[in-house]
Amino acid sequence: MSVEVKVSKEEHFIPFDIEAAQIDTPTSTYKVKAKTFLEVQRPKRRLMRLMLLPTFVFLYWTSFFWIALIDTLKLYSAGNNIYDAINLDETPQKRNATIEFPRLIHRMWPNDEFLKRDNLEITRNFNRCIDLHKENFTTILWTDVSIKNWMQSHYPQFISTLFDAYPFQIQRVDAARYFILYHHGGVYMDMDIGCFKTKDIGDLVTYMEASGKQVALPQTDPVGLSNDVMFAKKNSQFFKKAIDALPTKNRWFGIHYLTVLYSTGSLYLSLLYFNQKPLERKQIAIIPPRLYSKRGTRYFRHFHGIVRNWFSFLIIFILLLLLWVRLRPIIRRKQSKLK
């Protein structure tokens, strides 16, 4: 006995009153189960809705910086093989001409008001570094006003086309580091970088002079180089390239954090280093984690919380992106089984 079922155009599925119904046709007999229909169709539509947001976010971000992301993953895959790390336990190979390194330490802060308050941690750290290195180094504090005035005096052609064109102040500060190190040379240290009484950064300078290195940059985990500590001789080729390449990266990378990192920040510097020829990399000494961040052997103290860490956000984003790429085939297989 067959059951005749009428379906109106307004209905989306057949409202069976019994669990299963058999429909006779001239050629074959179909068994339709309402329970199975609901179990398959509703989860499938729900899963498709959930996939819309991550898919949109993925396409949005990758449309802005997919090339930079690929280079970042290549840099991560290269590991330590591309770095010429400083080893203070070995005597550096002598070069024909030694490098004369300016004994300057450059620090930057929006203003100098903190110097009037001795109870602040940033003030104590700043004064401590001056006291430890005052015999061999001269410390220069750069503020937003002094940076702008200096740029107008020495590089006026970059003011309207680049410096004022940046949407964020941190980009101007990052860019100013490269201009100042190229023009004056010396050491740059962020204000959340401190000094040790038992460690003399002059050791790193002496190594650079003896080995003929023009620049020294710290290696950071999990990938790339940092721009919170930098050493450079005056008129170094690397920072000349860093200045010249700034206008080509002055664009939007999807969100605030990535825009800063890839346009002027640490990943801008890391990819600039990565894309150089091997012989050009030989002019750059890399400060390994043992000397940069590892407790007990490092030359620099790291105070977290004074300056925001942009890099951690990027790492979280990349991990989520890789997780999405890994889960995508699994989701597709589950979809195919539900069909």
Side-chain angles (χ1 to χ4, degrees):
M1 179 178 178
S2 61
V3 179
E4 183 179 357
V5 181
K6 296 182 178 180
V7 182
S8 63
K9 294 182 179 179
E10 291 78 11
E11 292 175 328
H12 298 284
F13 61 92
I14 303 173
F16 291 101
D17 294 330
I18 58 177
E19 182 174 351
Q22 183 173 313
I23 305 174
D24 294 334
T25 65
T27 56
S28 61
T29 301
Y30 299 94
K31 289 185 178 181
V32 183
K33 294 184 179 181
K35 184 178 180 180
T36 304
F37 183 88
L38 294 175
E39 287 179 348
V40 173
Q41 295 299 324
R42 286 183 177 176
K44 180 180 178 181
R45 292 175 180 175
R46 192 181 302 115
L47 183 61
M48 291 180 64
R49 293 192 190 100
L50 291 175
M51 290 176 58
L52 287 176
L53 180 59
T55 301
F56 173 77
V57 173
F58 174 80
L59 294 176
Y60 173 78
W61 273 334
T62 54
S63 65
F64 287 104
F65 75 107
W66 66 275
I67 295 178
L69 178 60
I70 292 174
D71 284 343
T72 304
L73 296 177
K74 289 181 179 178
L75 175 62
Y76 179 79
S77 301
N80 297 330
N81 298 327
I82 61 173
Y83 297 136
D84 187 5
I86 294 176
N87 188 354
L88 297 179
D89 297 330
E90 298 180 357
T91 302
Q93 184 178 359
K94 297 291 184 179
R95 299 294 179 92
N96 294 331
T98 58
I99 299 295
E100 184 177 353
F101 195 93
R103 265 50 177 184
L104 298 174
I105 298 178
H106 305 279
R107 315 297 295 267
M108 292 183 179
W109 199 248
N111 53 64
D112 59 359
E113 294 297 320
F114 72 94
L115 295 175
K116 303 175 183 178
R117 303 177 60 182
D118 296 334
N119 60 330
L120 295 179
E121 182 181 18
I122 185 176
T123 307
R124 293 194 298 268
N125 296 333
F126 179 77
N127 291 331
R128 178 183 175 85
C129 285
I130 291 179
D131 293 338
L132 291 176
H133 300 297
K134 61 184 178 182
E135 293 185 3
N136 299 317
F137 289 87
T138 299
T139 300
I140 302 174
L141 176 63
W142 297 85
T143 64
D144 291 349
V145 174
S146 62
I147 289 174
K148 184 67 175 293
N149 293 337
W150 182 83
M151 287 289 297
Q152 288 176 337
S153 299
H154 295 86
Y155 299 95
Q157 68 274 23
F158 287 98
I159 292 296
S160 59
T161 58
L162 180 68
F163 204 72
D164 289 342
Y166 283 128
F168 308 114
Q169 178 61 21
I170 184 62
Q171 291 176 291
R172 300 182 185 93
V173 174
D174 281 341
R177 303 175 191 183
Y178 310 142
F179 279 97
I180 290 172
L181 283 178
Y182 171 74
H183 190 89
H184 291 292
V187 184
Y188 171 83
M189 294 195 299
D190 266 355
M191 293 297 281
D192 58 352
I193 298 294
C195 306
F196 287 109
K197 185 177 182 180
T198 57
K199 299 291 184 179
D200 184 6
I201 61 175
D203 298 341
L204 303 177
V205 172
T206 301
Y207 180 93
M208 291 179 60
E209 290 178 331
S211 60
K213 302 293 185 182
Q214 295 188 10
V215 174
L217 303 172
Q219 181 184 356
T220 187
D221 293 325
V223 61
L225 307 171
S226 178
N227 66 344
D228 58 359
V229 174
M230 296 179 288
F231 293 69
K233 82 174 191 71
K234 186 177 180 180
N235 298 329
S236 64
Q237 296 179 12
F238 178 76
F239 281 108
K240 179 62 168 64
K241 290 185 176 182
I243 292 173
D244 293 339
L246 283 171
T248 65
K249 303 298 181 181
N250 185 18
R251 59 185 179 86
W252 180 246
F253 284 86
I255 56 175
H256 174 278
Y257 301 100
L258 296 178
T259 299
V260 173
L261 281 171
Y262 280 109
S263 64
T264 59
S266 57
L267 279 179
Y268 167 78
L269 208 65
S270 300
L271 295 182
L272 181 68
Y273 171 87
F274 176 71
N275 290 322
Q276 288 200 113
K277 298 178 180 179
L279 289 178
E280 294 175 329
R281 293 180 193 156
K282 288 293 183 181
Q283 299 177 356
I284 303 172
I286 300 301
I287 305 173
R290 185 174 65 88
L291 303 178
Y292 170 64
S293 57
K294 186 177 180 180
R295 292 182 179 275
T297 57
R298 62 187 180 181
Y299 272 68
F300 309 96
R301 301 179 68 184
H302 299 263
F303 300 96
H304 302 289
I306 297 178
V307 178
R308 184 178 296 179
N309 185 7
W310 307 103
F311 194 71
S312 59
F313 180 87
L314 176 74
I315 298 305
I316 294 174
F317 169 75
I318 291 179
L319 291 176
L320 291 175
L321 189 62
L322 294 176
L323 180 63
W324 163 248
V325 173
R326 178 67 182 88
L327 293 177
R328 192 177 180 185
I330 299 176
I331 295 174
R332 284 184 172 178
R333 286 197 296 268
K334 289 185 177 181
Q335 282 182 324
S336 61
K337 291 180 179 179
L338 293 175
K339 290 182 180 180

